[in-house]
Amino acid sequence: MRKVWKLHKKLILSGTVITGLTLAAVSGLWLFKSEESESRSGRNSQGAMETKIKASDQELKDEFLVYHSDGFMGLMDENGEIVLDAETERVKIIESLPNSSWFKCSRGDYTGFYFNTKNEWRIRTEEFSMGETSFVESNYSSYYNRETGNYGLISKDGKNIIEPGRLSGLETLTSKNNYFMTASFADGKQGVFNIEGELLGKKFDDVVLLDTFNEHINVVAARINKEEFGIFHSEEGLILSPEEVKKEGINFINSYGAAPVALYSTVEGMDGIIDREGKIVRDEEGNKLLFHYISNFSSNGYASARTLEDEAVIIDETGKIAASSLKFSEKEIHNIYGFNLDGKAIAVFLNDGKETYGMIDEKLTILSTIKNKEISKPSYLGQDLLSVRKNYNDESPALITSTGKELLSQEEAAEEEIIEIGPFTKNGLSVVANEEYDEGLLDKKGKILFPIEDGIVISINQIKNIFVIERLNENNNTSEVIYTNIDGALLYKGSEDEQLLIGERRVMIVHSNGETEVFDENGRTMGIVKVEAD
C-alpha cells in the first residue's frame, strides 16, 4: 500500500516489505514498524555486539525526515510534504546538528546552507559556520561570521542571542554548556564568557573548565594558568580566584561532574566541599569544614566521609552528618566505600568477625548482600555490577552482580589479560584494560565485545542517548567508530551508501536506495520509510 502527496513534486512513501514486520499507519504516514529488528548497518561488525534493536513505543509525529532521491537529499515532514526538495536544491549531503532543529546542507561544490526546521530560516555556509557537535552539550552554539570575522551565539531553535560584532577580537569561541563559553583572544590570552557575552573576570594565559555537563548549577570549577584553580559563576564572575584558593590553603579542586558540589584538597591532605553556589562550606565558627576523606557525591548530594575524629559517617552536600557510626552499628555496617551517582554504595558488614559485602542506598537501606563469597577489593561500577578479587594481590578481577552472581570469572579475565574493568555506561558498556593500557570492550552481561588488542585505545562518548564508541589504533593512527543505542545494541557502522543523522528527537539512517530507517531518541526502531519518485 502507498500514499501519494503533492507539493513541489509527486512523491510516493511506502513501507518496504521485510519479513516479520507489520504495517502501521502513524500520523497519516504509512511505514513498516517492527517489534524488533536487526541493524543491517552493523551485521558485519567486528566483535560480539548485540544487533537486535527493540521497537519504540513512540509515534512518529511533528517530525522532519531526511530522504534520498536520485542522488540528492531532502527533508519532508511526517505527512510526506516536502520541506526541502532534494532535486531542486541539489543537496548532496544533509548533516544534523544533534539536539537542535538545525541541518547543514551541502551541495558538494563548496556551497550550501544551514536550515532550521522551526522557522525554515537558512544561512549560507559561505558566510556562516557552526561546529558539527555545536549543540551536544548546550542549547546554544557559537558561530563564526566569515564576512565580518566576528563570532555570535545562536540557540538551537534559531534565535540569535548575541549578534556578530559584540564579540570582537576573538580567535575562537566555544559554547561549553547553557551557562558558559570559552574564548581565545587575538593576543593569545584566554577567557570565560557567560551566555550573555560578558567576560567573567579577566583574561588569563590559560583557562580550562574542568566540567561543563552539569545542567543544574551555574558554577564551574576551572584550572587557570595550568597550575592554579578557581570557581566561575555565570552571573557573578570569578567568585573564587586563584589567589583566594591559595590563601585558603587549597591545592586542588575537583570537578563538579554531575554532582551538586565540588571537592577540594588542602595542602595538609584533608578534604572539603565547595557548594552549588561556588562557596567553600564552613563550620559555625567560619572555618573550613574539613574531613580526613570524602568520597564522590551521589546526584542527590550524599557522600561517605571520615571525620577528623576518625569516625565513618554519611554527609549531605552541606557537610552535615546524615548518618553516624551509631546508625552504622545498628545495621552491622563496618564501613562504606563511597557513593555512585545513582545513590548506591558498597557496605562492609561484620559477621562473626568476618567481613562481607553488600549494597546500600543513601538512607542505609540494605539493597543486597553478597553471601558465601570470599572477595576483596570490591569496586562499584554502576548498573548494580562490581569488580572484585578473591585475594587482595590478584591481578585480574571478576565481574559480579550486587547479589554475587558471577558474570566474568577471574580466570576468564586473566585469559583476556584484563587487569582493570572501568565504570559501566548508561547503556551497559565498560572499557577494560591490560597492564600495558591496551583496551577492549565488555558488556554488562560479562561478554567480551572487543578483545584487548595491542595499541588499541577505546573511548565512549554520548550524544543525547546514542553512544559513540571509537577504537583508535595508536600503532597506525587509524580508528573505527560505531554507534550503539541506549540498550547497548549496535545501531550504526558507517558505509559509503548510508548516513547517520542524530536529530533533536529522532535518529535516522539514510540509504542511497531511498530508504530511511527511523529510530526514536533512544535508538529504538520506529520503522522504515521508502521514498520513490513517481
Side-chain angles (χ1 to χ4, degrees):
M1 181 175 292
R2 65 187 188 178
K3 192 170 183 179
V4 179
W5 289 264
K6 292 182 180 179
L7 192 58
H8 303 295
K9 59 185 285 187
K10 195 179 294 183
L11 289 181
I12 300 172
L13 290 91
S14 65
T16 305
V17 179
I18 297 177
T19 304
L21 300 188
T22 57
L23 190 64
V26 181
S27 302
L29 171 65
W30 291 98
L31 73 157
F32 287 92
K33 186 173 181 181
S34 64
E35 292 304 314
E36 191 177 71
S37 69
E38 182 172 348
S39 171
R40 293 171 297 144
S41 309
R43 65 183 175 195
N44 296 320
S45 178
Q46 207 176 333
M49 190 164 290
E50 178 65 52
T51 59
K52 294 293 183 182
I53 297 178
K54 295 179 181 178
S56 172
D57 58 0
Q58 299 180 29
E59 291 186 349
L60 190 66
K61 59 182 181 179
D62 300 324
E63 300 297 338
F64 291 89
L65 304 177
V66 177
Y67 69 92
H68 202 286
S69 177
D70 198 25
F72 299 102
M73 299 178 76
L75 283 168
M76 61 183 174
D77 65 18
E78 85 280 2
N79 295 314
E81 293 187 4
I82 299 173
V83 178
L84 191 70
D85 190 286
E87 295 181 42
T88 300
E89 298 286 354
R90 315 297 286 178
V91 170
K92 288 284 189 179
I93 299 174
I94 293 182
E95 301 170 87
S96 61
L97 301 186
N99 197 37
S100 78
S101 52
W102 285 100
F103 288 89
K104 182 181 180 181
C105 306
S106 304
R107 296 192 176 96
D109 58 356
Y110 304 104
T111 66
F113 54 92
Y114 292 94
F115 184 80
N116 194 294
T117 56
K118 295 289 187 185
N119 51 22
E120 298 191 18
W121 183 22
R122 57 172 77 193
I123 309 171
R124 293 187 306 120
T125 53
E126 297 96 289
E127 64 183 45
F128 182 100
S129 66
M130 286 189 284
E132 293 181 2
T133 58
S134 295
F135 300 99
V136 171
E137 296 180 341
S138 172
N139 290 330
Y140 308 94
S141 171
S142 58
Y143 68 87
Y144 180 67
N145 189 309
R146 301 181 195 275
E147 295 183 345
T148 65
N150 291 323
Y151 284 88
L153 192 70
I154 199 165
S155 66
K156 67 179 185 179
D157 59 2
K159 183 180 179 181
N160 200 4
I161 304 299
I162 300 179
E163 295 286 352
R166 284 184 56 191
L167 295 170
S168 57
L170 300 183
E171 292 290 327
T172 64
L173 180 68
T174 305
S175 176
K176 305 301 289 187
N177 63 11
N178 292 336
Y179 299 104
F180 299 99
M181 299 181 290
T182 56
S184 298
F185 295 88
D187 60 4
K189 299 285 187 178
Q190 297 181 5
V192 179
F193 287 83
N194 63 16
I195 293 300
E196 284 71 41
E198 300 167 335
L199 179 65
L200 303 176
K202 60 182 182 180
K203 296 180 183 179
F204 299 95
D205 292 333
D206 178 79
V207 59
V208 177
L209 303 186
L210 296 182
D211 66 286
T212 54
F213 53 86
N214 193 327
E215 300 177 355
H216 308 294
I217 55 176
N218 62 338
V219 294
V220 64
R223 186 185 291 273
I224 298 171
N225 298 333
K226 299 194 183 294
E227 296 180 355
E228 301 173 321
F229 294 89
I231 299 288
F232 287 94
H233 188 286
S234 65
E235 297 175 359
E236 301 174 20
L238 185 63
I239 58 175
L240 188 61
S241 68
E243 294 75 19
E244 292 170 310
V245 168
K246 288 180 181 179
K247 186 177 179 181
E248 293 284 357
I250 297 171
N251 65 353
F252 184 82
I253 296 178
N254 204 353
S255 67
Y256 279 80
V261 297
L263 298 177
Y264 67 84
S265 299
T266 67
V267 292
E268 293 85 9
M270 292 180 284
D271 292 347
I273 302 168
I274 297 174
D275 67 20
R276 64 178 68 216
E277 295 179 355
K279 298 177 181 178
I280 296 173
V281 174
R282 302 182 182 275
D283 59 24
E284 294 178 354
E285 284 75 36
N287 300 313
K288 296 190 299 292
L289 184 59
L290 297 172
F291 295 82
H292 277 309
Y293 164 79
I294 302 175
S295 75
N296 291 330
F297 274 81
S298 70
S299 57
N300 294 325
Y302 291 92
S304 62
R306 190 163 289 276
T307 68
L308 299 184
E309 291 76 29
D310 209 30
E311 180 185 14
V313 295
I314 292 177
I315 59 175
D316 64 18
E317 62 184 83
T318 68
K320 181 180 178 181
I321 294 176
S324 65
S325 57
L326 179 61
K327 286 189 176 181
F328 286 11
S329 61
E330 291 174 359
K331 301 276 189 177
E332 297 184 338
I333 296 174
H334 176 61
N335 200 359
I336 294 176
Y337 291 167
F339 274 99
N340 198 278
L341 284 173
D342 62 8
K344 298 176 183 178
I346 296 175
V348 183
F349 303 100
L350 278 181
N351 293 315
D352 298 326
K354 292 185 177 180
E355 288 188 352
T356 58
Y357 299 90
M359 299 297 297
I360 62 169
D361 64 15
E362 298 150 326
K363 296 181 180 180
L364 296 184
T365 303
I366 298 174
L367 304 174
S368 61
T369 56
I370 304 171
K371 298 178 179 178
N372 304 320
K373 200 172 189 69
E374 292 187 7
I375 59 176
S376 65
K377 293 178 71 174
S379 177
Y380 183 50
L381 306 175
Q383 298 273 352
D384 288 326
L385 299 172
L386 293 86
S387 167
V388 299
R389 290 166 171 80
K390 293 177 183 176
N391 302 298
Y392 189 85
N393 293 321
D394 290 348
E395 281 196 354
S396 294
L399 179 69
I400 66 172
T401 68
S402 58
T403 59
K405 180 182 177 181
E406 191 171 74
L407 302 175
L408 181 74
S409 69
Q410 282 189 251
E411 293 74 21
E412 291 170 324
E415 284 183 15
E416 298 289 339
E417 300 182 355
I418 297 172
I419 66 166
E420 182 180 349
I421 302 175
F424 279 85
T425 59
K426 188 178 179 181
N427 70 339
L429 299 177
S430 168
V431 176
V432 295
N434 63 13
E435 60 183 6
E436 282 84 28
Y437 301 104
D438 304 314
E439 294 178 339
L441 195 66
L442 181 73
D443 73 7
K444 63 182 178 183
K445 297 177 182 178
K447 182 191 296 183
I448 302 293
L449 302 180
F450 292 105
I452 291 174
E453 295 182 33
D454 177 55
I456 296 294
V457 176
I458 296 178
S459 62
I460 303 178
N461 295 301
Q462 186 175 351
I463 301 177
K464 294 176 72 66
N465 288 332
I466 304 302
F467 292 79
V468 187
I469 302 167
E470 181 178 9
R471 298 176 72 245
L472 173 65
N473 189 326
E474 294 185 328
N475 295 325
N476 56 21
N477 202 31
T478 60
S479 66
E480 175 191 26
V481 179
I482 60 177
Y483 295 76
T484 68
N485 70 2
I486 198 169
D487 304 309
L490 179 62
L491 180 67
Y492 176 76
K493 181 184 178 183
S495 69
E496 293 182 358
D497 62 347
E498 59 191 26
Q499 182 180 350
L500 176 73
L501 296 99
I502 303 174
E504 188 172 11
R505 294 174 56 195
R506 295 290 174 257
V507 178
M508 291 168 279
I509 299 177
V510 183
H511 300 266
S512 59
N513 63 0
E515 290 182 0
T516 297
E517 294 181 79
V518 186
F519 307 85
D520 66 17
E521 71 272 18
N522 295 313
R524 293 173 180 148
T525 185
M526 300 187 74
I528 299 174
V529 174
K530 177 73 174 179
V531 181
E532 298 174 350
D534 187 22

